[in-house]
Amino acid sequence: MNQPFYKRRTTQVLVILLLCFGILQLFRPELKKEPVSADFDGPENVKAILKAACYDCHSNETDLKWFDHLQPAYSIALADIKEGKAGLNFSQWGNMAPGDQKAKLFEILNQITTGTMPLKSYQLLHRPANLNPAEIAIVKNYVAAMIKDHPADTALLNTAAKQFNSWNAQHLKAEEIPKTLTGIPYQPDYKNWQVVSTTDRIDNNTMRVIFGNPIAIKAIAEHHINPWPEGTVFAKVAWDKLQDADGSVKAGAFKQVEYMIKDSDKYKTTKGWGWARFKTMKLLPYGKNIGYATECVNCHRPVANNDFVFTLPVKH
């Protein structure tokens, strides 16, 4: 190949690339500045760790570095910030109920200990976000201090007894079946499904049983659980965990039932799963807007390599 020609062609390509890069910088979506209305109010050492690792995408105090302002990194950063704040905004922390704050801290700890958050792509250029074991231990100790094991009080025992005595096996009439904002209905038939596994949440003192529909049970038997087949449905049912003075534990009042429904086409925007939650005996659909599903996905993101399913079958 002619050397001068090769050099000219290389120069032309570089000029075109630089021109495209320059033009790309002209397209800059606005990063809206919003006030800090109810910031996280935990201990200073915990807050400093969360600020370094989380606040850029999960607060109204985003601090973009010079390289973050270059396109296409800028657009990617804005998309991450929008998604991050939809799931958790530390600038509005004080607006959450204490129980929701505790649950969110449990989720945060889960994600940083598994290395899911902060995002690896973010950590590459933002070194302060790389948490070391000592920093993770500080957050873990802070969350652990909120968890208190104590005997159930009379009110919880009475609530459980009242629910049990009023429980009946009749399914709701079709016209009465509640639905989430995304159109997912309560599925009463989970009571006839097989148990996949059990778990508990030490942050809010509940015990849970995970049921699987026939498709899920068949997949377990055939060892085809990653990914789970289309049509798989899980129902995770939660009760209060009651502990007597001797330390014996039993199920208390019904709290909620959650569903994961595998349909890669229908729910492609939420990682191939439909998400639903119905709370209390009234089966009130969870979520103030359809964005609640993003919250569910973010919670399950640490197990993306397991098709977003946390609890493995007891036998598989």
Side-chain angles (χ1 to χ4, degrees):
M1 178 180 291
N2 185 277
Q3 193 69 17
F5 173 81
Y6 175 77
K7 288 184 177 181
R8 286 198 304 272
R9 179 55 60 87
T10 301
T11 301
Q12 290 172 350
V13 171
L14 290 174
V15 168
I16 291 172
L17 289 176
L18 287 172
L19 182 61
C20 291
F21 179 75
I23 294 173
L24 190 60
Q25 305 314 306
L26 300 177
F27 297 92
R28 304 190 60 78
E30 181 185 3
L31 175 59
K32 295 182 179 179
K33 291 292 184 181
E34 299 177 272
V36 178
S37 58
D39 197 18
F40 176 76
D41 59 353
E44 285 303 316
N45 59 342
V46 175
K47 185 172 182 177
I49 292 169
L50 296 178
K51 270 199 166 186
C54 310
Y55 267 50
D56 276 350
C57 290
H58 294 280
S59 80
N60 295 340
E61 300 181 73
T62 300
D63 180 23
L64 294 180
K65 303 300 185 284
W66 67 266
F67 45 80
D68 293 321
H69 286 277
L70 299 176
Q71 289 283 29
Y74 181 73
S75 291
I76 295 173
L78 261 59
D80 288 342
I81 292 167
K82 181 180 180 181
E83 182 178 356
K85 289 169 65 173
L88 167 64
N89 189 341
F90 281 105
S91 297
Q92 299 174 359
W93 181 267
N95 297 330
M96 291 193 293
D100 293 335
Q101 292 178 353
K102 187 186 294 185
K104 189 59 69 173
L105 282 168
F106 183 84
E107 177 186 337
I108 292 168
L109 178 61
N110 181 42
Q111 297 208 11
I112 64 175
T113 53
T114 57
T116 307
M117 289 287 174
L119 296 173
K120 298 299 182 184
S121 56
Y122 178 80
Q123 293 182 48
L124 286 174
L125 295 176
H126 301 79
R127 304 308 296 175
N130 297 334
L131 301 183
N132 59 48
E135 291 172 320
I136 294 175
I138 289 173
V139 179
K140 184 176 182 179
N141 291 336
Y142 173 61
V143 176
M146 296 182 172
I147 300 168
K148 307 294 183 183
D149 287 328
H150 52 78
D153 59 31
T154 303
L156 287 174
L157 293 171
N158 289 340
T159 299
K162 183 178 179 181
Q163 277 195 357
F164 182 80
N165 292 332
S166 64
W167 195 285
N168 65 73
Q170 290 183 341
H171 291 177
L172 298 172
K173 295 179 181 178
E175 62 270 17
E176 297 176 344
I177 292 179
K179 295 181 180 181
T180 65
L181 291 173
T182 55
I184 298 176
Y186 168 71
Q187 300 186 33
D189 197 45
Y190 77 82
K191 301 182 186 70
N192 299 318
W193 298 350
Q194 293 186 39
V195 173
V196 174
S197 188
T198 61
T199 185
D200 63 13
R201 282 280 297 272
I202 59 174
D203 63 306
N204 57 20
N205 211 41
T206 56
M207 57 194 307
R208 297 155 185 245
V209 175
I210 297 93
F211 298 89
N213 72 344
I215 294 176
I217 300 305
K218 183 174 183 290
I220 293 169
E222 296 176 351
H223 304 280
H224 293 156
I225 62 173
N226 193 8
W228 291 87
E230 300 297 310
T232 293
V233 184
F234 297 111
K236 181 165 65 175
V237 190
W239 296 266
D240 278 328
K241 185 170 67 174
L242 303 185
Q243 178 177 305
D244 61 25
D246 297 325
S248 299
V249 174
K250 64 180 181 180
F254 172 86
K255 304 294 289 185
Q256 63 182 32
V257 56
E258 298 175 279
Y259 296 98
M260 286 180 66
I261 305 165
K262 185 66 178 288
D263 188 324
S264 298
D265 291 330
K266 187 174 183 178
Y267 304 115
K268 60 183 178 182
T269 60
T270 51
K271 306 303 180 183
W273 290 93
W275 311 82
R277 182 187 304 171
F278 299 91
K279 300 174 71 69
T280 76
M281 288 289 287
K282 295 181 180 179
L283 300 176
L284 301 174
Y286 175 79
K288 295 180 180 179
N289 54 62
I290 60 174
Y292 79 86
T294 299
E295 177 184 337
C296 298
V297 171
N298 287 337
C299 182
H300 284 250
R301 201 177 296 277
V303 287
N305 290 336
N306 291 330
D307 201 11
F308 292 87
V309 177
F310 265 108
T311 307
L312 294 176
V314 174
K315 295 181 180 180
H316 70 282

